[in-house]
Amino acid sequence: MKKNYFVIVLFYILFFLLFTACFLCFYSCRSLPPEQPQISRELTGQGLLTADELAEFFCKNNSSADKKHMKAFAQYYIDEARDENINSDVAFAQMCHETGYLTFGNLVVPEMHNYCGLGAMDSEHRGEWFETEQIGVRAHIQHLQAYATTQDVSLKNELVDPRYSWPHKAKFARDIYALAGNWATDPDYGTKIDRILSQMQEFRTSKK
């Protein structure tokens, strides 16, 4: 009788321990925050940040910027990048790097609507000019598409990048790191864009 009693007590103890372990495991799993998707460093693909997020991130780095205007500007990047299967997060980060968050200050001036230093080499070759912001953004996206694809991949929108055919003949880049010594002579070019993308990731995570 005592032996049976001992077995029954042991069974209930083991059952209680097993139940407690399962409960704690289930509760802890439910308590963990969902893992945030990471911003890709690939040139092609879909970006993660919305126009609101891009605009807010930009304004944190350039306090003089108008958020309403920046939201519309960011939407150009999202729309144009989506049409050509280019990562809008990467393109926007590259714009931030190339223009110093639209402060410019080198060869390119705001009126040029040139957001990626397209054709800017020296005082005699200051870069390409585009009529509007959207056309300037489109040229930027198309130039990235020229680097990230082969010649058999056609553009969806009308060609506005006057230097579009040149990368297809001599250049190819799958991600931001391959742009170093390729898009730009700076060996740290990809790392600098990566730094901005990491800041964008931290910003996006902090908003969730």
Side-chain angles (χ1 to χ4, degrees), residues 4 10 21 78 95 166 177-178 184 190 205-206:
N4 290 338
L10 181 61
I78 292 172
M95 176 278 297
W166 179 72
Y177 309 106
T205 301
S206 70

Side-chain angles (χ1 to χ4, degrees), residues 18 33 41 67 70 76-77 79 81 89 95 98 105 111 118 150-151 161 178 181 183:
L18 180 62
R41 270 57 174 174
K67 186 177 178 182
M70 284 311 305
Y76 290 147
Y77 267 94
D79 293 343
D89 296 336
M95 176 278 297
E98 286 280 354
E111 294 77 17
L118 197 60
T150 51
Q151 286 181 293
D161 172 15
W183 181 295

Side-chain angles (χ1 to χ4, degrees), residues 31-197:
S31 300
L32 289 174
E35 185 177 346
Q36 291 291 328
Q38 298 297 300
I39 294 175
S40 172
R41 270 57 174 174
E42 300 285 318
L43 300 189
T44 57
Q46 186 174 354
L48 295 180
L49 275 72
T50 65
D52 270 323
E53 290 172 330
L54 289 174
E56 191 171 346
F57 170 79
F58 185 95
C59 291
K60 283 190 65 174
N61 289 277
N62 182 347
S63 58
S64 65
D66 178 74
K67 186 177 178 182
K68 183 177 180 181
H69 170 255
M70 284 311 305
K71 181 180 177 181
F73 184 72
Q75 193 64 53
Y76 290 147
Y77 267 94
I78 292 172
D79 293 343
E80 296 291 336
R82 181 195 60 237
D83 289 347
E84 308 300 348
N85 189 34
I86 292 297
N87 185 337
S88 54
D89 296 336
V90 165
F92 195 85
Q94 187 181 31
M95 176 278 297
C96 292
H97 170 66
E98 286 280 354
T99 67
Y101 291 90
L102 295 181
T103 59
F104 297 96
N106 294 316
L107 298 173
V108 179
V109 294
E111 294 77 17
M112 296 170 73
H113 301 302
N114 184 339
Y115 306 114
C116 61
L118 197 60
M121 293 178 283
D122 52 47
S123 58
E124 294 184 1
H125 305 86
R126 298 185 59 187
E128 304 292 343
W129 289 69
F130 302 98
E131 289 185 21
T132 66
E133 288 184 343
Q134 185 174 9
I135 294 176
V137 171
R138 178 172 296 181
H140 180 186
I141 296 299
Q142 289 181 349
H143 209 62
L144 275 174
Q145 192 264 9
Y147 270 82
T149 64
T150 51
Q151 286 181 293
D152 59 299
V153 181
S154 301
L155 289 170
K156 300 296 187 298
N157 292 320
E158 179 185 358
L159 177 63
V160 298
D161 172 15
R163 300 170 65 84
Y164 179 77
S165 62
W166 179 72
H168 271 153
K169 296 176 181 177
K171 306 287 183 178
F172 182 79
R174 190 174 301 280
D175 56 32
I176 59 172
Y177 309 106
L179 294 174
N182 204 349
W183 181 295
T185 56
D186 182 1
D188 296 323
Y189 188 77
T191 304
K192 291 174 180 176
I193 297 175
D194 176 85
R195 190 175 300 125
I196 295 175
L197 290 170

